[in-house]
Amino acid sequence: MTAPASSPGPALTPARLHDILNLIILPLILLLCTLSLTLPHHPLQTLSSRLALAYLISDSLFISLLPSSVKSPKTILAHHLLSSLLLVESTLLNPSAHSGFAAAALLIESSTILLLLRRLAPPALAARLEPLFLLVWAATRILLYLLLSAVFAWHA
């Protein structure tokens, strides 16, 4: 008697592939940014920002080639373009002055990682991730950006 065939699992759609690739890349960027913030004016700050810039460019290419990989390709591409412009300033034009701000701003990706985990997780786990996602979203997208705006204005 042969064993029953195992189910192949969820289909690898462009959206699922995009989420999986982001779950590989974004934690690495987040780790580098977090480490770089413990080392003021360290080259790791510029490296993490340059890696994030490379990610934004490659992700923009991915979305341009496979727009069905995201819900709102035009919005995400516009966001990537604006974020890339800010990272160009902090990584290429004036890294000594702003790479620390860029590394801190990139901590926002922690909420993106939780969003992706929630989207890919089984429903029971996704429900458990929801409160953590909301807490991290508010902490990074509201509090962190208010704090960074104040600090940046103070140093300007």
Side-chain angles (χ1 to χ4, degrees), residues 11-22 59 62-63 65-71 119-120:
L12 191 59
T13 63
R16 187 168 176 78
L17 176 61
H18 184 259
D19 288 353
I20 291 168
L21 290 173
N22 276 285
D59 195 49
F62 186 97
I63 293 168
L65 294 171
L66 291 168
S68 64
S69 64
V70 294
K71 290 181 183 176
R119 196 160 47 209
L120 293 172

Side-chain angles (χ1 to χ4, degrees), residues 9-89:
L12 191 59
T13 63
R16 187 168 176 78
L17 176 61
H18 184 259
D19 288 353
I20 291 168
L21 290 173
N22 276 285
L23 274 176
I24 294 168
I25 297 165
L26 291 177
L28 295 173
I29 292 172
L30 185 64
L31 178 64
L32 278 175
C33 290
T34 304
L35 289 173
S36 76
L37 290 171
T38 65
L39 306 165
H41 306 294
H42 192 276
L44 193 57
Q45 287 183 341
T46 302
L47 175 65
S48 62
S49 296
R50 287 182 179 167
L51 180 61
L53 179 59
Y55 156 75
L56 288 170
I57 292 168
S58 61
D59 195 49
S60 295
L61 288 171
F62 186 97
I63 293 168
S64 296
L65 294 171
L66 291 168
S68 64
S69 64
V70 294
K71 290 181 183 176
S72 306
K74 289 180 184 177
T75 303
I76 292 174
L77 288 172
H79 174 266
H80 279 11
L81 176 63
L82 292 174
S83 298
S84 294
L85 292 174
L86 292 172
L87 284 170
V88 163
E89 194 282 330

Side-chain angles (χ1 to χ4, degrees), residues 113-134:
I113 292 166
L114 287 169
L115 172 72
L116 295 168
L117 285 171
R118 190 184 68 179
R119 196 160 47 209
L120 293 172
L125 180 56
R128 289 186 181 144
L129 288 171
E130 181 72 13
L132 180 60
F133 165 74
L134 293 172

